[in-house]
Structures are given as structure tokens and as C-alpha cells.
Amino acid sequence: MHMAQIIVVTSGKGGVGKTTSSAAIATGLALKGHKTVVVDFDIGLRNLDLIMGCERRVVYDFVNVINGEANLNQTLIKDKRTSNLYILPASQTRDKDALTKEGVGRVLDELRKEFEYIICDSPAGIETGAMMALYFADIAIVTTNPEVSSVRDSDRILGMLQSKSKRAEDGLEPVKEFLLLTRYSPTRVATGEMLSVADVEEILAIPLLGVIPESQAVLKASNSGIPVIVDQESDAGQAYSDSVARLLGEDVAMRFVTEEKKGFLKRIFGS
């Protein structure tokens, strides 16, 4: 029997592409044949169902399940494109204290019986929802942009994982931490506007799971409610696929980290 893995996708600051990453990674795991659920911990905001394109199907939510107003069977939304993939949406209206350790723990235990991977899409920062999402984690994917403030806030999250997670409290193996670098532009790194992959790795000192290039495809995917990993023509979609493969233990070379040398025709006609 495969032990269910709880994976939290987290970040110190907002706007780094956490929900995009949660949707892409969950979809990628499901595409590889793993039964996966992605849980939205962002009480009050509810972005995940929009990015997954199922916002009109939301009837019950995470908080309803915690409060016993609905069961998981009534609440989980089956993804319409990818088999093996389910969404547990967040509540739009409730107060942030609706998530209790006891309640969240109970729901996660129930999900563990059904799913191989439970992806927790955490809100940014260190408020209640974020602390709940990281508390139960086996694996943390720390999502960071290549800029100083984002990296510094991610460092704070690493401190939390190492001291405030259930694994830390129980004296178990620590949470496995991975770095996911999003919105990366080799061109802007070359001009010194952005930190390089090496800079970020040096500061955070955790294994690099993937580098997702700054890409129009990400915005397009969010707007159309289709996780960007489904678009395998796109650089970002391919980069997320690579990251999922690495998460599953495959050895995949890093792409999209160096500037593309423009060929003669590209230089003349632009891209």
C-alpha cells in the first residue's frame, strides 16, 4: 500500500504563482497515473477552483466538511479533463479561524485513505491558513520568485517548517523541502535585475525542484481555467512536467535557465 504523501505548496509572499504551481503539480501527478487531490487552504479568497476551471461546480467546501455540514463525497469536485484528479475547494465567505488543527487533521486523514498525493495550496505568509497547510506536510514545495524580498520571505517559511510542523513537534524525519523558482527570466538575470538560480540556491540551501520561466502561457492558462501543465507546447508547461518528474524521483536536466541564443532569422524577424 502506497503511503499517502501530503505536499504543501507554500511561499512567504503573495503573487509568486503558488496556486498556478499547485494546479500544475497536482495535474502532473494525476497525468502520471497517481490519484491526487488538491486542497485550497486560502479561506476567503478561493483562487484554485478558477485556475482549475471548476468554479461553477463548487457547492460545498473545505469548511463545510470540517463542520460536518457535508461529507467529502459531496464536496470533492472531479476534474473534468484529467482522471485521477480531484479538487477540494476553499470557502469564500468564512472567517479564517474556521480551519482548526483538529478539523483539518481529520479531513486529511480521510483523504489519505483515498489518495496517493494530497496537494495543499497554501495562502502566502504565516497566517492561520498557511500555518495549517504546512503543519501536516510531508513535503514542502517552497515557491519563490528570483528577487530578494521573495527569497527572504521563503527563508522565514523554511524556519516555520523546521520548527512548527507536526513532524518537528513529533520528532520525526523533517519535512522534505524543495525549491520551485517561478517567473524566471534568464535575460533579466543577465542584466542583473533578477537573482540567478545559483544565488537563490545559495541563500535557501534546499534542493531545486524546478525553474519555471516567466511565460505568457501561465496567464493564458489561468484565464482559461486550464492548468498550464496541460499546454505541453509551452515552456512553462514543460518546466512543470520536468518538476513533477523530479518530484517522483526521476533525474531530469534543468531547462529554461540560460538565455536562448537567438538564431539569425529570429534576430531579423523577432520571435
Side-chain angles (χ1 to χ4, degrees), residues 26-34 82 84 241 244-246 248 250:
T27 303
L29 288 166
L31 288 169
K32 290 228 177 215
H34 300 284
T82 310
N84 290 323
S241 284
V244 169
R246 288 186 203 103
L248 294 170
E250 294 173 42

Side-chain angles (χ1 to χ4, degrees), residues 1 24 29 47 50 61 64 70 91 121 134 136 148 165 176 184 186 189 215 225 231 233 242 248 261 265:
M1 173 70 196
L29 288 166
N47 267 326
L50 290 166
D61 60 60
N64 292 135
S91 158
D121 181 29
L134 71 75
F136 294 98
V148 175
S165 62
K176 267 203 201 90
Y184 194 76
V189 170
S215 169
D231 178 7
E233 299 291 291
D242 290 356
L248 294 170
K261 291 281 172 272
L265 291 172

Side-chain angles (χ1 to χ4, degrees), residues 166-237:
K166 189 172 190 324
R167 284 179 166 271
E169 276 181 15
D170 297 349
L172 299 168
E173 284 270 295
V175 177
K176 267 203 201 90
E177 300 159 341
F178 292 106
L179 170 63
L180 185 67
L181 200 49
T182 48
R183 308 192 62 174
Y184 194 76
S185 161
T187 315
R188 290 176 63 194
V189 170
T191 59
E193 290 171 70
M194 264 184 189
L195 298 173
S196 68
V197 173
D199 293 334
V200 179
E201 281 188 289
E202 196 180 318
I203 300 166
L204 295 178
I206 58 173
L208 181 62
L209 184 66
V211 176
I212 314 297
E214 176 78 83
S215 169
Q216 281 305 304
V218 171
L219 187 63
K220 199 180 121 206
S222 306
N223 287 336
S224 52
I226 299 169
V228 69
I229 196 168
V230 176
D231 178 7
Q232 278 299 302
E233 299 291 291
S234 73
D235 49 1

